[in-house]
Amino acid sequence: MPFPNLLKTAEEILNNPDCLKTQEGMTKFACADCAFYKEGEDEHLACGAYLLLDFLLKKKMVTAEQIINAIREDIPDA
């Protein structure tokens, strides 16, 4: 999965990492590339991957910058 939607918003997220403190920001970051995500439907529900990512970010075990950099390193031309 190349994460095209996450990469489109990468600079916005990196310039304002506090946006991940909101459900809207986390949904944009974590869900936009998910095959099961349908914008405007059940956005109040969260899958296990979302909950785990949210937990790791809040505990500062991983940062948005680390995630974005890992994706960019793995995708040529990203």
Side-chain angles (χ1 to χ4, degrees):
M1 174 183 276
F3 304 99
N5 293 314
L6 187 144
L7 291 173
K8 283 181 200 169
T9 61
E11 292 308 314
E12 177 185 337
I13 292 164
L14 293 174
N15 290 331
N16 181 22
D18 284 343
C19 72
L20 298 179
K21 292 180 180 176
T22 68
Q23 183 178 0
E24 180 182 344
M26 271 299 296
T27 299
K28 190 178 202 179
F29 182 67
C31 305
D33 290 302
C34 179
F36 301 105
Y37 175 68
K38 305 288 185 260
E39 189 172 356
E41 293 181 22
D42 298 328
E43 290 179 345
H44 62 284
L45 300 176
C47 71
Y50 174 100
L51 296 172
L52 177 61
L53 182 58
D54 189 46
F55 175 80
L56 293 172
L57 286 165
K58 285 180 179 169
K59 288 288 194 176
K60 297 185 174 38
M61 305 274 308
V62 66
T63 66
E65 183 175 11
Q66 290 170 319
I67 294 167
I68 291 166
N69 287 341
I71 293 168
R72 285 177 171 164
E73 288 172 7
D74 206 44
I75 300 172
D77 305 330

